[in-house]
């Protein structure tokens, strides 16, 4: 399933579409569930674990990317203005090899693989997205994490001339996010560079974005230009905006009521007007893989 990154190749060049689609179905039935984490077996509602990917259309026209506006349709309409090549990412803080890395440097030597992940937004909708990416741990190990680093901080590009949404001071721009180091090193945490075997569309966070499938969608920061290894818990934009609503951890948790919306159920995007509410699963269904990261922690207090 894995293939080497070549910016001039699309998935179609390396895998005939039928084979690829069949493989995806196979993976949905087995490998992907293993990779993406199938815990709890029969006890879990079938629907909640339906890993049939949303369509390209759904994934690329219904977005949150406030730098381009607050409507779900704004990113698809305006994100083409973002220049994604050349692109570089500053990697700094407690690392052995700090510096400015070009996008090409970052993906060089990485095996880009497909990960079909559920994305659960705090606004109570969800999607299943076939990302292409690599583990964040691979990059962190390459740049060398120093003793004393306990968190990873991320920043999105801030380009007022390309991002009309920056005019609206909803968040204290640039968009920022953070993970504890063990969360960042977890094998489910990826840097994604594409979806459906195509380069990442701008509205989904081109050219490189984070995906942390057991956390609410806003942790998965887009169009990253800076990654810093730090000792103290970094600023996270939504947490800074309303700490009571959006915790630093932001683990998907149906048992913790968001002050404005219950988090018990969600609707799959694309289900139409009559989409049923499906139960939201603890850690978005990735409990078996990640629960041990939070052993002994009160997940209501540390939400
Ligand atoms: N990253 C940036 N820089 N700006 C944003 O507004 N929105 C977040 C997250 N990453 C956001 C962001 C939210 S709320 C969600 S639900 C996901 O991106 C949506 O990802 P998608 O549009 O690829 O589905």
């Amino acid at each position: 399933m894995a293939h080497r990154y070549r910016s001039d190749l699309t998935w179609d060049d390396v895998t005939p579409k039928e084979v690829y689609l069949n493989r995806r179905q196979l993976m949905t039935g087995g490998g992907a569930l293993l990779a993406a984490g199938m815990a709890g077996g029969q006890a879990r509602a079938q629907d909640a674990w339906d890993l049939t990917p949303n369509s390209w259309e759904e994934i690329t026209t219904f977005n949150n990317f406030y730098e381009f506006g607050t409507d779900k349709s704004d990113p698809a309409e305006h994100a083409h203005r973002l220049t994604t090549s050349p692109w570089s990412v500053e990697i700094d803080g407690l690392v052995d090899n700090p510096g400015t890395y070009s996008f090409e440097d970052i993906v060089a030597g990485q095996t880009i693989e497909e990960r079909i992940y559920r994305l659960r937004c705090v606004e109570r909708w969800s999607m299943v997205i076939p990302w292409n990416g690599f583990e964040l741990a691979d990059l962190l190990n390459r740049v060398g994490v120093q003793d004393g680093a306990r968190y990873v901080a991320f920043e999105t590009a801030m380009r007022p001339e390309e991002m009309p949404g920056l005019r609206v001071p909803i968040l204290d721009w640039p968009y920022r996010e953070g993970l504890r180091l063990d969360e960042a090193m977890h094998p489910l945490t990826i840097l994604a560079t594409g979806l459906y075997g195509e380069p990442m569309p701008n509205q989904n966070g081109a050219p490189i974005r984070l995906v942390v499938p057991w956390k609410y969608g806003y942790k998965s920061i887009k169009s990253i230009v800076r990654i810093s290894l730090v000792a103290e818990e970094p600023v996270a934009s939504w947490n800074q905006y309303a700490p009571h609503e959006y915790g630093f951890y932001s683990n998907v948790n149906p048992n913790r009521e968001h002050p404005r919306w219950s988090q018990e159920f969600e609707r799959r995007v694309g289900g139409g007007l009559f989409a049923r509410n499906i139960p939201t699963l603890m850690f978005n269904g990735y409990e078996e893989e990640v629960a041990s990261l939070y052993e002994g922690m009160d997940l209501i207090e540390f939400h």
Side-chain angles (χ1 to χ4, degrees):
M1 215 49 219
H3 71 104
R4 289 257 167 201
Y5 183 82
R6 291 274 303 278
S7 58
D8 52 342
L9 287 181
T10 71
W11 200 291
D12 285 347
D13 296 317
V14 290
T15 319
K17 203 90 190 172
E18 291 81 350
V19 176
Y20 166 51
L21 289 175
N22 279 333
R23 277 209 219 149
R24 170 163 315 109
Q25 272 145 24
L26 279 178
M27 282 197 62
T28 308
L33 282 181
L34 265 184
M38 166 117 145
Q42 308 310 326
R44 165 168 299 149
Q46 277 291 337
D47 284 351
W49 261 106
D50 177 5
L51 277 184
T52 309
N54 279 85
S55 68
W56 171 269
E57 181 74 12
E58 287 155 359
I59 297 169
T60 60
T61 59
F62 184 90
N63 300 99
N64 276 336
F65 199 164
Y66 275 23
E67 288 88 332
F68 296 99
T70 53
D71 283 354
K72 298 285 176 265
S73 57
D74 281 335
E77 207 170 306
H78 302 297
H80 64 90
R81 292 166 63 178
L82 183 67
T83 311
T84 59
S85 176
W87 192 269
S88 58
V89 181
E90 188 79 31
I91 303 183
D92 60 11
L94 299 165
V95 289
D96 294 335
N97 303 300
T100 305
Y101 291 80
S102 70
F103 173 73
E104 290 72 21
D105 274 353
I106 286 180
V107 295
Q110 294 294 350
T111 302
I112 304 290
E113 47 176 332
E114 180 179 76
R115 296 283 185 98
I116 301 174
Y117 280 163
R118 313 173 73 254
L119 181 133
R120 167 61 157 84
C121 186
V122 74
E123 298 162 320
R124 295 182 300 176
W125 49 265
S126 62
M127 286 200 213
V128 175
I129 304 182
W131 301 111
N132 309 110
F134 58 92
E135 292 177 16
L136 173 60
D138 287 348
L139 177 65
L140 296 181
N141 288 330
R142 246 177 70 200
V143 296
V145 177
Q146 295 181 342
D147 287 350
R150 290 172 53 231
Y151 293 90
V152 187
F154 304 86
E155 257 179 51
T156 294
M158 185 163 70
R159 304 210 194 124
E161 64 296 349
E162 297 181 359
M163 296 170 147
L166 292 180
R167 274 186 243 124
V168 189
I170 313 167
L171 296 173
D172 178 20
W173 309 111
Y175 196 100
R176 281 166 287 174
E177 259 309 336
L179 296 173
R180 219 169 54 188
L181 186 60
D182 58 344
E183 298 176 322
M185 287 294 198
H186 193 281
L188 285 180
T189 303
I190 59 168
L191 286 172
T193 55
L195 58 89
Y196 269 119
E198 300 290 339
M200 189 66 79
N202 283 9
Q203 57 267 42
N204 293 90
I208 189 162
R209 55 101 42 100
L210 185 70
V211 184
V212 194
W214 70 94
K215 293 177 180 284
Y216 290 114
Y218 58 87
K219 296 297 278 185
S220 293
I221 183 172
K222 297 178 171 181
S223 305
I224 295 170
V225 291
R226 188 168 179 202
I227 300 177
S228 312
L229 278 291
V230 296
E232 305 298 332
E233 186 180 287
V235 169
S237 289
W238 284 104
N239 177 235
Q240 179 187 44
Y241 170 82
H244 182 57
E245 297 194 15
Y246 311 99
F248 176 79
Y249 285 93
S250 302
N251 293 317
V252 173
N253 186 349
N255 307 315
R256 183 189 183 264
E257 302 283 304
H258 180 277
R260 286 184 286 142
W261 314 292
S262 156
Q263 294 298 336
E264 240 180 298
F265 294 96
E266 66 200 51
R267 272 169 193 239
R268 188 65 48 85
V269 169
L273 210 53
F274 302 106
R276 283 177 304 133
N277 281 324
I278 57 177
T280 286
L281 302 172
M282 188 65 200
F283 294 115
N284 201 22
Y286 302 93
E287 185 167 11
E288 199 158 272
E289 288 82 355
V290 301
S292 62
L293 296 175
Y294 309 102
E295 240 164 45
M297 255 174 80
D298 180 339
L299 295 175
I300 304 291
E301 187 185 347
F302 295 98
H303 62 90

